[in-house]
């Protein structure tokens, strides 16, 4: 039987996830959509020709009789409330990153889920589902380049809107690295410092852009991540791992090489929707399959919490300029898998 999904938030990624659940993936049907801007929800349902109910309030989607599971793609500050309400209703929920705005918010979700007695939450950290990151992890795990000593990473967006502020470089953008790098290295973070170089003239008063985040892991690997969200030239994700006996880089997305007009060129993508298009498909298909099988196995509420513990320290480091400690509590047995 088809899994009946309710989606809260029909913006950029909400529309994308509804499209993939409807046209690409197997085993699910979107039966309810809500958006605080009702027109977004109505237009999405109409454009895809869905037989879905449109609700003004996300909580009505959660409690609708015919909704089996939820996808939360509304703005970041709304994630915690909708995820807690889904757990309360006993319904599995795929929540886009960040799971909550603070580690405390994520902890409330972890506690509610443990109280419910089974995993009900998958966080929209899609990079562990990306073939490139998986290949990079295989190289590290095989020991081919020895122990990872340093990582040089970059997270570049071509541009962001005026409502994107300095803190969002951490909570909305770096949060992907905070998740994927602990998975890649099988390690956790110990400390962080954030530095701001000369700002680009393409930014605005409330956004310091770019920024450099320097993390140290518990095993002593040093990581630098450049976050540059008005880089202009493209959507570019870089990750280079320097090991004891070699260097491994995240593969570039495949692109035809062209020789033309005295130039050798390959295309750089410009949109996150395209850069991780397959990973989004795989993460959501996994969610659908796992809900049907009765056991969620993707990025957990604990992973959401771990990323947010590090994010809180990064925000503190943005303000202080000092080295800030990252203290992740011990993982409860509930989340050992
Ligand atoms: P968006 O602003 O395009 O869409 C958000 C939508 O949520 C809007 O249509 C808005 O009206 C709606 N909304 C906000 N509050 C709501 C509420 N209380 N009830 C119902 N609807 C509400 O934003 P975008 O880019 O789609 O991002 C949405 C979420 O997805 C964010 O949390 C973002 O961090 C995450 N995201 C994740 C990506 C990934 O790579 N995993 C990529 C892009 C976004
Ligand atoms: P968006 O602004 O395009 O869409 C957000 C939508 O949520 C809007 O339509 C808004 O009206 C709606 N919304 C806000 N509050 C709501 C509420 N209380 N109830 C219902 N709807 C509400 O943003 P987006 O780019 O689609 O991002 C949405 C979420 O997805 C964010 O949390 C973002 O961090 C995440 N995201 C993740 C990735 C990724 O790569 N995993 C990429 C983009 C966005
Ligand atoms: C957005 O919400 C995402 O999740 C994208 O993957 C990221 O690159 C962007 O900076 C975020 O704002």
């Amino acid at each position: 039987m088809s899994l009946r999904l309710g989606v809260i938030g029909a913006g950029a990624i909400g529309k994308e996830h509804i499209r993939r659940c409807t046209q690409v993936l197997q085993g699910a049907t979107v039966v309810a959509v809500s958006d605080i801007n009702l027109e977004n929800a109505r237009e999405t349902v109409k454009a895809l020709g869905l037989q879905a109910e449109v609700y003004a309030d996300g909580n009505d989607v959660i409690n609708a009789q015919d909704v089996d599971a939820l996808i939360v793609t509304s703005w970041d500050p709304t994630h915690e409330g909708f995820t807690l309400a889904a757990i309360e209703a006993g319904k599995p929920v795929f929540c886009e990153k960040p799971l909550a705005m603070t580690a405390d918010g994520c902890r409330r979700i972890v506690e509610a889920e443990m109280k419910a007695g089974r995993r009900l939450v998958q966080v929209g950290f899609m990079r562990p589902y990306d073939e490139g990151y998986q290949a990079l992890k295989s190289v590290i795990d095989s020991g081919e380049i020895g122990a990872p000593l340093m990582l040089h990473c970059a997270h570049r967006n071509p541009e962001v809107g005026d409502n994107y502020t300095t803190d969002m470089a951490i909570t909305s953008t770096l949060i992907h690295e905070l998740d994927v790098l602990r998975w890649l290295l099988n390690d956790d973070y110990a400390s962080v410092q954030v530095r701001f170089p000369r700002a680009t003239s393409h930014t605005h008063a409330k956004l310091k852009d770019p920024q450099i985040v320097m993390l140290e892991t518990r095993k002593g690997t040093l990581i630098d991540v450049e976050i540059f969200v008005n880089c202009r030239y493209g959507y570019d994700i870089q990750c280079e791992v320097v090991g004891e006996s070699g260097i491994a880089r995240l593969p570039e997305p495949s692109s035809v090489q062209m020789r033309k007009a005295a130039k050798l060129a390959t295309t750089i993508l410009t949109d996150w929707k395209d850069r991780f298009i397959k990973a989004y498909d795989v993460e959501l298909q996994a969610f659908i399959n796992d809900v049907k099988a009765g056991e969620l196995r993707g990025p957990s509420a604990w992973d959401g919490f771990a990323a947010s513990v590090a994010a809180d320290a990064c925000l503190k480091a943005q303000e202080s300029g000092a080295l800030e400690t990252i203290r992740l509590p011990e993982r409860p047995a509930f989340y050992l898998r």
Side-chain angles (χ1 to χ4, degrees):
M1 211 183 93
S2 195
L3 184 73
R4 297 167 303 177
L5 294 171
V7 180
I8 305 174
I13 203 166
K15 287 189 175 77
E16 273 294 288
H17 284 346
I18 294 171
R19 175 196 60 76
R20 59 172 46 88
C21 288
T22 307
Q23 298 180 343
V24 183
L25 310 182
Q26 305 290 316
T29 311
V30 175
V31 298
V33 180
S34 154
D35 198 298
I36 202 156
N37 172 358
L38 257 184
E39 228 10 71
N40 278 354
R42 286 201 191 104
E43 269 171 26
T44 308
V45 167
K46 191 166 166 219
L48 290 164
L50 300 178
Q51 301 290 313
E53 193 77 31
V54 171
Y55 293 88
D57 186 340
N59 291 296
D60 293 337
V61 174
I62 294 170
N63 295 313
Q65 289 284 330
D66 64 345
V67 167
D68 303 317
L70 284 310
I71 296 182
V72 175
T73 44
S74 46
W75 294 324
D76 297 4
T78 65
H79 292 183
E80 179 186 343
F82 287 135
T83 300
L84 284 171
I87 295 172
E88 178 73 29
K91 296 186 183 181
V93 52
F94 175 95
C95 178
E96 265 305 336
K97 39 59 60 176
L99 180 57
M101 296 306 287
T102 60
D104 272 350
C106 293
R107 194 179 33 75
R108 285 189 279 276
I109 292 172
V110 160
E111 282 166 3
E113 190 180 44
M114 289 200 294
K115 198 168 155 217
R118 65 185 174 113
R119 276 201 51 194
L120 288 166
V121 179
Q122 177 173 330
V123 184
F125 288 133
M126 73 295 180
R127 290 195 192 177
Y129 293 96
D130 173 66
E131 283 177 2
Y133 273 106
Q134 289 179 353
L136 186 58
K137 185 166 173 60
S138 297
V139 169
I140 297 171
D141 289 350
S142 72
E144 267 180 90
I145 60 164
L149 309 176
M150 293 180 283
L151 266 64
H152 306 299
C153 308
H155 189 150
R156 303 192 186 111
N157 292 193
E159 62 190 349
V160 290
D162 288 348
N163 52 3
Y164 184 107
T165 46
T166 301
D167 55 321
M168 290 170 71
I170 304 296
T171 57
S172 186
T173 299
L174 181 77
I175 199 86
H176 284 294
E177 273 77 16
L178 292 176
D179 175 65
V180 79
L181 299 182
R182 57 186 284 278
W183 167 83
L184 193 66
L185 296 173
N186 194 22
D187 203 350
D188 277 306
Y189 308 112
S191 67
V192 65
Q193 187 176 15
V194 179
R195 298 286 308 273
F196 299 98
R198 174 181 174 175
T200 169
S201 59
H202 299 297
T203 192
H204 56 82
K206 291 187 175 157
L207 171 61
K208 290 187 185 170
D209 187 41
Q211 332 188 354
I212 297 196
V213 177
M214 288 162 292
L215 294 147
E216 181 168 4
T217 69
R218 287 180 181 173
K219 292 178 192 165
T221 304
L222 286 187
I223 303 171
D224 54 88
V225 187
E226 170 201 313
I227 313 164
F228 189 8
V229 293
N230 286 291
C231 80
R232 287 319 204 238
Y233 72 87
Y235 185 81
D236 198 5
I237 304 300
Q238 298 290 324
C239 181
E240 179 182 272
V241 183
V242 180
E244 293 167 292
S245 52
I247 288 176
R249 283 189 78 98
L250 181 69
E252 294 289 341
S254 76
S255 148
V256 172
Q257 212 183 54
M258 292 216 294
R259 287 170 160 78
K260 198 180 163 196
K263 284 201 166 56
L264 178 61
T266 54
T267 299
I268 295 177
L269 296 171
T270 55
D271 196 330
W272 48 262
K273 293 187 196 86
D274 303 322
R275 173 63 181 84
F276 288 108
I277 192 160
K278 283 194 202 147
Y280 295 124
D281 287 349
V282 181
E283 69 169 353
L284 268 180
Q285 187 66 66
F287 175 72
I288 293 165
N289 296 350
D290 290 351
V291 169
K292 289 176 152 194
E295 189 195 1
L296 288 185
R297 293 171 304 165
S300 67
W302 183 262
D303 295 319
F305 172 67
S308 282
V309 167
D312 279 3
C314 293
L315 292 174
K316 207 168 159 196
Q318 279 186 330
E319 293 290 322
S320 70
L323 193 71
E324 299 291 347
T325 303
I326 302 177
R327 284 192 192 85
L328 180 66
E330 206 174 316
R331 187 194 299 240
F334 183 88
Y335 291 104
L336 294 171
R337 42 166 202 250

